């Protein structure tokens, strides 16, 4: 069944079963491999993307329910790494294995779009169902706070400690 989606600002039509999970459409049909498969049961958050600006799990979301929605994957957050969440994750060297981090970052970006300066409790609530097997939760929380600072005008800092200019990357 042809289904039209707007993914990362581009309208795409896929011919897939209406009940196919959006995760597999993104990965297998549109070749967007940044969104990962974790549990397949809507429990771990690894497959999180934005659907109309809201963090949404894709492993159990039928593609037909996403038709016509504005979908943003980790690849669409910012192609050059300029999004505040991407800058903070890099600056604080958040991931250990990195497998869950796209989902963590998408959940964090959704939170920061609604809440400019989240508290620890708000971060915990927004990200508490995104699991990290490496337990980098303290670095994730610190990165959400840092991303909020960057969004508010605080310059990102590179590994040398100097302000980061993404045009030089």
């Amino acid at each position: 069944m042809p289904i039209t989606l707007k993914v990362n600002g581009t309208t795409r039509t896929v011919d897939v079963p209406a009940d196919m999970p959006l995760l597999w459409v993104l990965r297998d049909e549109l070749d967007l491999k940044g969104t990962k498969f974790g549990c397949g049961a809507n429990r771990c958050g690894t497959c999180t993307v934005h659907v109309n600006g809201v963090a949404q799990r894709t492993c159990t979301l039928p593609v037909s329910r996403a038709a016509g929605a504005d979908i943003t994957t980790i690849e669409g957050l910012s192609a050059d790494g300029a999004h505040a969440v991407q800058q903070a994750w890099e600056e604080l060297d958040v991931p250990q294995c990195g497998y869950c981090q796209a989902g963590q970052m998408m959940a964090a970006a959704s939170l920061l779009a609604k809440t400019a300066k989240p508290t620890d409790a708000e971060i915990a609530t927004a990200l508490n169902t995104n699991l990290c097997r490496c337990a980098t939760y303290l670095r994730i929380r610190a990165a959400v706070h840092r991303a909020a600072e960057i969004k508010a005008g605080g310059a990102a800092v590179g590994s040398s400690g100097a302000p980061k200019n993404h045009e030089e990357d």
Side-chain angles (χ1 to χ4, degrees), residues 44-101:
C44 73
T46 300
C47 65
T48 302
V49 302
H50 295 172
V51 178
N52 293 328
V54 177
Q56 184 92 40
R57 309 286 171 79
T58 60
C59 66
T60 59
L61 177 66
V63 66
S64 59
R65 288 200 12 225
D70 187 13
I71 300 164
T72 305
T73 68
I74 191 71
E75 292 92 346
L77 198 57
S78 169
D80 65 355
H83 190 281
V85 168
Q86 292 169 309
Q87 291 179 32
W89 250 250
E90 181 181 342
E91 181 180 319
L92 298 181
D93 197 21
V94 173
Q96 186 167 322
C97 84
Y99 196 82
C100 70
Q101 294 305 307

